mmCIF file of all heavy atoms in Angstrom:
data_model
loop_
_atom_site.group_PDB
_atom_site.id
_atom_site.type_symbol
_atom_site.label_atom_id
_atom_site.label_comp_id
_atom_site.label_asym_id
_atom_site.label_seq_id
_atom_site.Cartn_x
_atom_site.Cartn_y
_atom_site.Cartn_z
ATOM 1 N N MET Y 13 -2.833 5.921 115.338
ATOM 2 C CA MET Y 13 -1.437 6.369 115.489
ATOM 3 C C MET Y 13 -1.280 7.135 116.792
ATOM 4 O O MET Y 13 -2.075 8.018 117.103
ATOM 5 C CB MET Y 13 -1.092 7.249 114.276
ATOM 6 C CG MET Y 13 -0.020 8.237 114.546
ATOM 7 S SD MET Y 13 0.435 9.190 113.123
ATOM 8 C CE MET Y 13 2.109 8.657 112.917
ATOM 9 N N ALA Y 24 11.354 13.716 112.093
ATOM 10 C CA ALA Y 24 12.097 13.134 110.968
ATOM 11 C C ALA Y 24 12.085 14.067 109.765
ATOM 12 O O ALA Y 24 13.102 14.255 109.093
ATOM 13 C CB ALA Y 24 11.486 11.783 110.600
ATOM 14 N N ARG Y 26 11.693 17.266 109.902
ATOM 15 C CA ARG Y 26 12.512 18.430 110.275
ATOM 16 C C ARG Y 26 13.987 18.134 110.004
ATOM 17 O O ARG Y 26 14.694 18.952 109.426
ATOM 18 C CB ARG Y 26 12.298 18.720 111.764
ATOM 19 C CG ARG Y 26 12.900 20.032 112.222
ATOM 20 C CD ARG Y 26 12.583 20.260 113.681
ATOM 21 N NE ARG Y 26 11.156 20.289 113.941
ATOM 22 C CZ ARG Y 26 10.549 19.676 114.967
ATOM 23 N NH1 ARG Y 26 11.247 18.993 115.839
ATOM 24 N NH2 ARG Y 26 9.243 19.756 115.116
ATOM 25 N N GLU Y 27 14.412 16.954 110.421
ATOM 26 C CA GLU Y 27 15.823 16.568 110.225
ATOM 27 C C GLU Y 27 16.177 16.525 108.740
ATOM 28 O O GLU Y 27 17.261 16.916 108.342
ATOM 29 C CB GLU Y 27 16.077 15.181 110.806
ATOM 30 C CG GLU Y 27 16.433 15.197 112.275
ATOM 31 C CD GLU Y 27 16.532 13.775 112.810
ATOM 32 O OE1 GLU Y 27 16.941 12.881 112.051
ATOM 33 O OE2 GLU Y 27 16.167 13.581 113.973
ATOM 34 N N GLY Y 29 15.228 18.282 106.397
ATOM 35 C CA GLY Y 29 15.523 19.611 105.845
ATOM 36 C C GLY Y 29 16.917 20.090 106.177
ATOM 37 O O GLY Y 29 17.464 20.956 105.510
ATOM 38 N N ASP Y 30 17.489 19.525 107.240
ATOM 39 C CA ASP Y 30 18.814 19.992 107.674
ATOM 40 C C ASP Y 30 19.961 19.188 107.074
ATOM 41 O O ASP Y 30 21.124 19.465 107.372
ATOM 42 C CB ASP Y 30 18.908 19.926 109.209
ATOM 43 C CG ASP Y 30 17.934 20.887 109.863
ATOM 44 O OD1 ASP Y 30 17.652 21.931 109.249
ATOM 45 O OD2 ASP Y 30 17.430 20.583 110.960
ATOM 46 N N ASN Y 31 19.653 18.202 106.261
ATOM 47 C CA ASN Y 31 20.725 17.405 105.657
ATOM 48 C C ASN Y 31 21.653 18.300 104.838
ATOM 49 O O ASN Y 31 21.217 19.318 104.311
ATOM 50 C CB ASN Y 31 20.133 16.329 104.728
ATOM 51 C CG ASN Y 31 19.474 15.220 105.518
ATOM 52 O OD1 ASN Y 31 19.707 15.083 106.715
ATOM 53 N ND2 ASN Y 31 18.631 14.444 104.866
ATOM 54 N N PRO Y 32 22.917 17.903 104.714
ATOM 55 C CA PRO Y 32 23.814 18.726 103.889
ATOM 56 C C PRO Y 32 23.359 18.777 102.434
ATOM 57 O O PRO Y 32 22.679 17.856 101.958
ATOM 58 C CB PRO Y 32 25.166 18.013 104.008
ATOM 59 C CG PRO Y 32 24.870 16.671 104.566
ATOM 60 C CD PRO Y 32 23.584 16.748 105.300
ATOM 61 N N ALA Y 33 23.718 19.845 101.772
ATOM 62 C CA ALA Y 33 23.278 20.037 100.382
ATOM 63 C C ALA Y 33 24.493 20.186 99.478
ATOM 64 O O ALA Y 33 24.980 21.298 99.263
ATOM 65 C CB ALA Y 33 22.387 21.266 100.286
ATOM 66 N N GLN Y 35 24.648 20.045 96.431
ATOM 67 C CA GLN Y 35 24.342 20.717 95.162
ATOM 68 C C GLN Y 35 24.125 22.221 95.341
ATOM 69 O O GLN Y 35 23.775 22.909 94.390
ATOM 70 C CB GLN Y 35 23.139 20.057 94.479
ATOM 71 C CG GLN Y 35 21.827 20.143 95.204
ATOM 72 C CD GLN Y 35 21.676 19.077 96.269
ATOM 73 O OE1 GLN Y 35 22.562 18.842 97.086
ATOM 74 N NE2 GLN Y 35 20.533 18.416 96.296
ATOM 75 N N ALA Y 36 24.327 22.713 96.567
ATOM 76 C CA ALA Y 36 24.072 24.147 96.823
ATOM 77 C C ALA Y 36 24.918 25.044 95.919
ATOM 78 O O ALA Y 36 24.446 26.056 95.404
ATOM 79 C CB ALA Y 36 24.344 24.474 98.281
ATOM 80 N N THR Y 39 23.528 25.099 92.421
ATOM 81 C CA THR Y 39 22.320 25.931 92.351
ATOM 82 C C THR Y 39 22.696 27.411 92.332
ATOM 83 O O THR Y 39 22.105 28.200 91.593
ATOM 84 C CB THR Y 39 21.398 25.635 93.543
ATOM 85 O OG1 THR Y 39 21.105 24.252 93.541
ATOM 86 C CG2 THR Y 39 20.100 26.426 93.464
ATOM 87 N N LYS Y 40 23.706 27.761 93.127
ATOM 88 C CA LYS Y 40 24.141 29.162 93.144
ATOM 89 C C LYS Y 40 24.636 29.577 91.752
ATOM 90 O O LYS Y 40 24.290 30.650 91.256
ATOM 91 C CB LYS Y 40 25.249 29.335 94.176
ATOM 92 C CG LYS Y 40 25.672 30.771 94.362
ATOM 93 C CD LYS Y 40 26.796 30.854 95.358
ATOM 94 C CE LYS Y 40 27.337 32.275 95.434
ATOM 95 N NZ LYS Y 40 28.526 32.363 96.276
ATOM 96 N N GLU Y 46 21.724 32.684 85.429
ATOM 97 C CA GLU Y 46 20.443 33.113 84.883
ATOM 98 C C GLU Y 46 20.224 34.615 85.069
ATOM 99 O O GLU Y 46 19.599 35.269 84.245
ATOM 100 C CB GLU Y 46 19.311 32.342 85.566
ATOM 101 C CG GLU Y 46 18.056 32.341 84.765
ATOM 102 C CD GLU Y 46 17.191 31.141 85.087
ATOM 103 O OE1 GLU Y 46 17.728 30.012 85.174
ATOM 104 O OE2 GLU Y 46 16.003 31.326 85.274
ATOM 105 N N LEU Y 47 20.759 35.145 86.165
ATOM 106 C CA LEU Y 47 20.538 36.567 86.447
ATOM 107 C C LEU Y 47 21.505 37.476 85.698
ATOM 108 O O LEU Y 47 21.238 38.659 85.545
ATOM 109 C CB LEU Y 47 20.681 36.833 87.946
ATOM 110 C CG LEU Y 47 19.544 36.316 88.825
ATOM 111 C CD1 LEU Y 47 19.859 36.558 90.280
ATOM 112 C CD2 LEU Y 47 18.224 36.977 88.466
ATOM 113 N N ARG Y 54 20.135 45.838 82.833
ATOM 114 C CA ARG Y 54 19.933 46.982 83.727
ATOM 115 C C ARG Y 54 21.030 48.022 83.536
ATOM 116 O O ARG Y 54 20.770 49.213 83.531
ATOM 117 C CB ARG Y 54 19.926 46.521 85.183
ATOM 118 C CG ARG Y 54 18.653 45.838 85.589
ATOM 119 C CD ARG Y 54 18.752 45.479 87.046
ATOM 120 N NE ARG Y 54 18.649 46.670 87.876
ATOM 121 C CZ ARG Y 54 17.519 47.104 88.393
ATOM 122 N NH1 ARG Y 54 16.407 46.454 88.160
ATOM 123 N NH2 ARG Y 54 17.495 48.160 89.152
ATOM 124 N N GLN Y 213 5.603 19.552 79.946
ATOM 125 C CA GLN Y 213 5.536 18.117 80.222
ATOM 126 C C GLN Y 213 5.509 17.279 78.938
ATOM 127 O O GLN Y 213 4.655 16.414 78.774
ATOM 128 C CB GLN Y 213 4.292 17.801 81.061
ATOM 129 C CG GLN Y 213 4.193 18.601 82.338
ATOM 130 C CD GLN Y 213 4.623 17.808 83.550
ATOM 131 O OE1 GLN Y 213 4.524 16.595 83.569
ATOM 132 N NE2 GLN Y 213 5.136 18.483 84.542
ATOM 133 N N LEU Y 244 15.648 11.320 82.914
ATOM 134 C CA LEU Y 244 14.240 11.235 83.344
ATOM 135 C C LEU Y 244 13.306 11.144 82.144
ATOM 136 O O LEU Y 244 12.304 10.428 82.174
ATOM 137 C CB LEU Y 244 13.869 12.445 84.195
ATOM 138 C CG LEU Y 244 14.458 12.521 85.603
ATOM 139 C CD1 LEU Y 244 13.847 13.700 86.353
ATOM 140 C CD2 LEU Y 244 14.206 11.252 86.383
ATOM 141 N N ARG Y 271 21.995 13.911 92.848
ATOM 142 C CA ARG Y 271 20.909 13.036 92.365
ATOM 143 C C ARG Y 271 21.252 11.542 92.498
ATOM 144 O O ARG Y 271 20.650 10.721 91.802
ATOM 145 C CB ARG Y 271 20.561 13.335 90.902
ATOM 146 C CG ARG Y 271 20.349 14.808 90.614
ATOM 147 C CD ARG Y 271 18.915 15.206 90.711
ATOM 148 N NE ARG Y 271 18.714 16.542 90.181
ATOM 149 C CZ ARG Y 271 17.539 17.158 90.158
ATOM 150 N NH1 ARG Y 271 16.485 16.565 90.626
ATOM 151 N NH2 ARG Y 271 17.418 18.363 89.681
ATOM 152 N N GLU Y 274 18.274 9.444 93.995
ATOM 153 C CA GLU Y 274 17.157 9.299 93.048
ATOM 154 C C GLU Y 274 17.539 8.351 91.906
ATOM 155 O O GLU Y 274 16.725 7.531 91.477
ATOM 156 C CB GLU Y 274 16.762 10.654 92.451
ATOM 157 C CG GLU Y 274 16.132 11.610 93.426
ATOM 158 C CD GLU Y 274 17.157 12.579 93.969
ATOM 159 O OE1 GLU Y 274 18.325 12.179 94.149
ATOM 160 O OE2 GLU Y 274 16.782 13.735 94.228
ATOM 161 N N ALA Y 277 17.388 4.824 93.122
ATOM 162 C CA ALA Y 277 15.991 4.386 93.286
ATOM 163 C C ALA Y 277 15.362 4.106 91.935
ATOM 164 O O ALA Y 277 14.638 3.113 91.757
ATOM 165 C CB ALA Y 277 15.208 5.457 94.032
ATOM 166 N N ALA C 43 17.935 45.277 94.987
ATOM 167 C CA ALA C 43 16.954 46.045 94.203
ATOM 168 C C ALA C 43 17.626 46.797 93.061
ATOM 169 O O ALA C 43 17.018 47.031 92.019
ATOM 170 C CB ALA C 43 16.219 47.023 95.118
ATOM 171 N N GLU C 44 18.882 47.170 93.255
ATOM 172 C CA GLU C 44 19.608 47.874 92.193
ATOM 173 C C GLU C 44 20.158 46.915 91.131
ATOM 174 O O GLU C 44 20.814 47.339 90.192
ATOM 175 C CB GLU C 44 20.770 48.669 92.790
ATOM 176 C CG GLU C 44 20.316 49.964 93.449
ATOM 177 C CD GLU C 44 21.389 50.556 94.351
ATOM 178 O OE1 GLU C 44 22.564 50.162 94.234
ATOM 179 O OE2 GLU C 44 21.034 51.393 95.190
ATOM 180 N N LEU C 47 24.504 41.893 91.184
ATOM 181 C CA LEU C 47 24.576 40.432 91.188
ATOM 182 C C LEU C 47 25.296 39.899 92.427
ATOM 183 O O LEU C 47 24.908 38.873 93.005
ATOM 184 C CB LEU C 47 25.302 39.969 89.923
ATOM 185 C CG LEU C 47 24.911 38.623 89.357
ATOM 186 C CD1 LEU C 47 23.435 38.547 89.079
ATOM 187 C CD2 LEU C 47 25.683 38.364 88.069
ATOM 188 N N TYR C 54 22.318 34.673 98.880
ATOM 189 C CA TYR C 54 22.290 33.215 98.732
ATOM 190 C C TYR C 54 23.147 32.569 99.819
ATOM 191 O O TYR C 54 22.721 31.633 100.488
ATOM 192 C CB TYR C 54 22.791 32.825 97.335
ATOM 193 C CG TYR C 54 22.692 31.338 97.063
ATOM 194 C CD1 TYR C 54 21.545 30.801 96.500
ATOM 195 C CD2 TYR C 54 23.723 30.477 97.407
ATOM 196 C CE1 TYR C 54 21.432 29.446 96.272
ATOM 197 C CE2 TYR C 54 23.627 29.125 97.192
ATOM 198 C CZ TYR C 54 22.482 28.606 96.617
ATOM 199 O OH TYR C 54 22.378 27.251 96.413
ATOM 200 N N GLU C 55 24.361 33.091 99.979
ATOM 201 C CA GLU C 55 25.259 32.508 100.986
ATOM 202 C C GLU C 55 24.637 32.575 102.374
ATOM 203 O O GLU C 55 24.758 31.650 103.170
ATOM 204 C CB GLU C 55 26.607 33.241 100.990
ATOM 205 C CG GLU C 55 27.462 32.979 99.759
ATOM 206 C CD GLU C 55 27.850 31.519 99.592
ATOM 207 O OE1 GLU C 55 27.836 30.769 100.586
ATOM 208 O OE2 GLU C 55 28.127 31.113 98.443
ATOM 209 N N ARG C 62 16.419 26.323 101.648
ATOM 210 C CA ARG C 62 16.476 24.924 101.221
ATOM 211 C C ARG C 62 15.803 24.015 102.252
ATOM 212 O O ARG C 62 15.052 23.111 101.901
ATOM 213 C CB ARG C 62 17.922 24.491 101.004
ATOM 214 C CG ARG C 62 18.076 23.027 100.579
ATOM 215 C CD ARG C 62 19.487 22.667 100.227
ATOM 216 N NE ARG C 62 19.900 23.386 99.029
ATOM 217 C CZ ARG C 62 20.696 24.446 99.024
ATOM 218 N NH1 ARG C 62 21.188 24.925 100.142
ATOM 219 N NH2 ARG C 62 21.018 25.030 97.886
ATOM 220 N N GLY C 63 16.075 24.273 103.532
ATOM 221 C CA GLY C 63 15.460 23.465 104.598
ATOM 222 C C GLY C 63 13.946 23.522 104.498
ATOM 223 O O GLY C 63 13.269 22.490 104.517
ATOM 224 N N ARG C 66 12.710 21.696 101.316
ATOM 225 C CA ARG C 66 12.747 20.234 101.449
ATOM 226 C C ARG C 66 11.603 19.725 102.311
ATOM 227 O O ARG C 66 10.981 18.712 102.015
ATOM 228 C CB ARG C 66 14.065 19.815 102.096
ATOM 229 C CG ARG C 66 15.239 19.798 101.144
ATOM 230 C CD ARG C 66 16.467 19.517 101.949
ATOM 231 N NE ARG C 66 17.645 19.337 101.119
ATOM 232 C CZ ARG C 66 18.861 19.151 101.618
ATOM 233 N NH1 ARG C 66 19.035 19.108 102.931
ATOM 234 N NH2 ARG C 66 19.893 18.984 100.828
ATOM 235 N N ARG C 67 11.375 20.429 103.408
ATOM 236 C CA ARG C 67 10.297 19.982 104.306
ATOM 237 C C ARG C 67 8.941 20.142 103.642
ATOM 238 O O ARG C 67 8.044 19.334 103.838
ATOM 239 C CB ARG C 67 10.345 20.793 105.600
ATOM 240 C CG ARG C 67 11.553 20.447 106.438
ATOM 241 C CD ARG C 67 11.780 21.448 107.545
ATOM 242 N NE ARG C 67 13.079 21.222 108.132
ATOM 243 C CZ ARG C 67 13.969 22.174 108.371
ATOM 244 N NH1 ARG C 67 13.711 23.430 108.074
ATOM 245 N NH2 ARG C 67 15.139 21.876 108.910
ATOM 246 N N ALA C 73 15.521 16.981 95.153
ATOM 247 C CA ALA C 73 15.820 17.577 93.846
ATOM 248 C C ALA C 73 14.823 18.688 93.508
ATOM 249 O O ALA C 73 15.209 19.751 93.004
ATOM 250 C CB ALA C 73 15.781 16.503 92.768
ATOM 251 N N GLU C 76 15.464 21.719 95.436
ATOM 252 C CA GLU C 76 16.587 22.485 94.871
ATOM 253 C C GLU C 76 16.082 23.401 93.755
ATOM 254 O O GLU C 76 16.546 24.532 93.618
ATOM 255 C CB GLU C 76 17.626 21.490 94.337
ATOM 256 C CG GLU C 76 19.026 22.005 94.326
ATOM 257 C CD GLU C 76 19.556 22.419 95.697
ATOM 258 O OE1 GLU C 76 19.210 21.788 96.716
ATOM 259 O OE2 GLU C 76 20.294 23.402 95.740
ATOM 260 N N ASP C 77 15.146 22.888 92.968
ATOM 261 C CA ASP C 77 14.559 23.725 91.907
ATOM 262 C C ASP C 77 13.830 24.925 92.506
ATOM 263 O O ASP C 77 13.855 26.023 91.958
ATOM 264 C CB ASP C 77 13.582 22.905 91.047
ATOM 265 C CG ASP C 77 14.316 21.962 90.105
ATOM 266 O OD1 ASP C 77 15.514 22.200 89.841
ATOM 267 O OD2 ASP C 77 13.709 20.976 89.655
ATOM 268 N N HIS C 80 16.330 27.478 93.636
ATOM 269 C CA HIS C 80 16.797 28.179 92.434
ATOM 270 C C HIS C 80 15.794 29.265 92.038
ATOM 271 O O HIS C 80 16.156 30.420 91.802
ATOM 272 C CB HIS C 80 16.971 27.131 91.327
ATOM 273 C CG HIS C 80 17.195 27.706 89.972
ATOM 274 N ND1 HIS C 80 16.226 27.697 89.006
ATOM 275 C CD2 HIS C 80 18.253 28.321 89.423
ATOM 276 C CE1 HIS C 80 16.695 28.287 87.921
ATOM 277 N NE2 HIS C 80 17.921 28.656 88.145
ATOM 278 N N VAL C 84 16.298 33.368 91.855
ATOM 279 C CA VAL C 84 16.196 34.005 90.529
ATOM 280 C C VAL C 84 15.130 35.103 90.566
ATOM 281 O O VAL C 84 15.265 36.152 89.940
ATOM 282 C CB VAL C 84 15.880 32.949 89.443
ATOM 283 C CG1 VAL C 84 15.400 33.596 88.164
ATOM 284 C CG2 VAL C 84 17.113 32.112 89.154
ATOM 285 N N ARG C 120 3.745 14.087 92.313
ATOM 286 C CA ARG C 120 3.693 13.188 91.149
ATOM 287 C C ARG C 120 4.891 12.242 91.161
ATOM 288 O O ARG C 120 4.763 11.059 90.875
ATOM 289 C CB ARG C 120 3.702 14.005 89.853
ATOM 290 C CG ARG C 120 2.347 14.540 89.448
ATOM 291 C CD ARG C 120 2.354 14.968 87.993
ATOM 292 N NE ARG C 120 3.328 16.004 87.740
ATOM 293 C CZ ARG C 120 3.084 17.306 87.838
ATOM 294 N NH1 ARG C 120 1.885 17.724 88.192
ATOM 295 N NH2 ARG C 120 4.020 18.200 87.576
ATOM 296 N N ARG C 121 6.037 12.807 91.497
ATOM 297 C CA ARG C 121 7.246 11.966 91.498
ATOM 298 C C ARG C 121 7.140 10.868 92.562
ATOM 299 O O ARG C 121 7.482 9.725 92.322
ATOM 300 C CB ARG C 121 8.478 12.829 91.746
ATOM 301 C CG ARG C 121 9.763 12.081 91.527
ATOM 302 C CD ARG C 121 10.965 12.946 91.693
ATOM 303 N NE ARG C 121 11.229 13.752 90.509
ATOM 304 C CZ ARG C 121 12.375 14.385 90.288
ATOM 305 N NH1 ARG C 121 13.341 14.326 91.156
ATOM 306 N NH2 ARG C 121 12.558 15.075 89.194
ATOM 307 N N MET C 125 7.195 6.958 91.816
ATOM 308 C CA MET C 125 8.178 6.073 92.440
ATOM 309 C C MET C 125 7.461 4.922 93.149
ATOM 310 O O MET C 125 7.920 3.788 93.121
ATOM 311 C CB MET C 125 9.014 6.850 93.466
ATOM 312 C CG MET C 125 9.902 7.905 92.867
ATOM 313 S SD MET C 125 11.238 7.233 91.898
ATOM 314 C CE MET C 125 12.521 7.199 93.094
ATOM 315 N N ARG C 146 13.519 6.516 110.446
ATOM 316 C CA ARG C 146 13.282 7.962 110.396
ATOM 317 C C ARG C 146 12.969 8.423 108.975
ATOM 318 O O ARG C 146 12.050 9.206 108.748
ATOM 319 C CB ARG C 146 14.511 8.725 110.921
ATOM 320 C CG ARG C 146 14.491 8.960 112.420
ATOM 321 C CD ARG C 146 15.322 10.179 112.784
ATOM 322 N NE ARG C 146 16.680 10.079 112.262
ATOM 323 C CZ ARG C 146 17.676 9.446 112.886
ATOM 324 N NH1 ARG C 146 17.469 8.870 114.058
ATOM 325 N NH2 ARG C 146 18.886 9.389 112.348
ATOM 326 N N GLU C 172 4.638 23.575 112.536
ATOM 327 C CA GLU C 172 4.981 22.351 113.270
ATOM 328 C C GLU C 172 6.389 21.865 112.963
ATOM 329 O O GLU C 172 7.124 21.508 113.873
ATOM 330 C CB GLU C 172 3.988 21.229 112.916
ATOM 331 C CG GLU C 172 2.602 21.440 113.475
ATOM 332 C CD GLU C 172 2.567 21.286 114.991
ATOM 333 O OE1 GLU C 172 3.447 20.606 115.553
ATOM 334 O OE2 GLU C 172 1.657 21.854 115.609
ATOM 335 N N VAL C 173 6.725 21.843 111.693
ATOM 336 C CA VAL C 173 8.022 21.257 111.334
ATOM 337 C C VAL C 173 9.139 22.282 111.568
ATOM 338 O O VAL C 173 10.183 21.954 112.117
ATOM 339 C CB VAL C 173 8.020 20.764 109.871
ATOM 340 C CG1 VAL C 173 9.309 20.029 109.558
ATOM 341 C CG2 VAL C 173 6.826 19.850 109.620
ATOM 342 N N LEU C 207 -1.910 9.252 108.400
ATOM 343 C CA LEU C 207 -0.756 8.482 108.866
ATOM 344 C C LEU C 207 -1.200 7.244 109.635
ATOM 345 O O LEU C 207 -0.570 6.185 109.533
ATOM 346 C CB LEU C 207 0.144 9.351 109.747
ATOM 347 C CG LEU C 207 1.044 10.316 109.002
ATOM 348 C CD1 LEU C 207 1.769 11.238 109.967
ATOM 349 C CD2 LEU C 207 2.072 9.570 108.159
#
Side-chain angles (χ1 to χ4, degrees):
Chain Y
M13 154 177 244
R26 190 177 301 136
E27 273 174 33
D30 295 330
N31 287 344
Q35 64 277 48
T39 304
K40 186 182 174 187
E46 201 155 315
L47 288 176
R54 284 182 72 94
Q213 305 259 333
L244 288 187
R271 311 266 191 181
E274 292 97 325
Chain C
E44 282 165 17
L47 210 56
Y54 184 90
E55 290 298 338
R62 179 174 294 103
R66 281 174 174 176
R67 290 167 191 132
E76 207 59 35
D77 285 340
H80 169 254
V84 164
R120 278 197 300 270
R121 190 177 280 195
M125 293 292 265
R146 271 205 306 275
E172 289 290 336
V173 186
L207 282 173

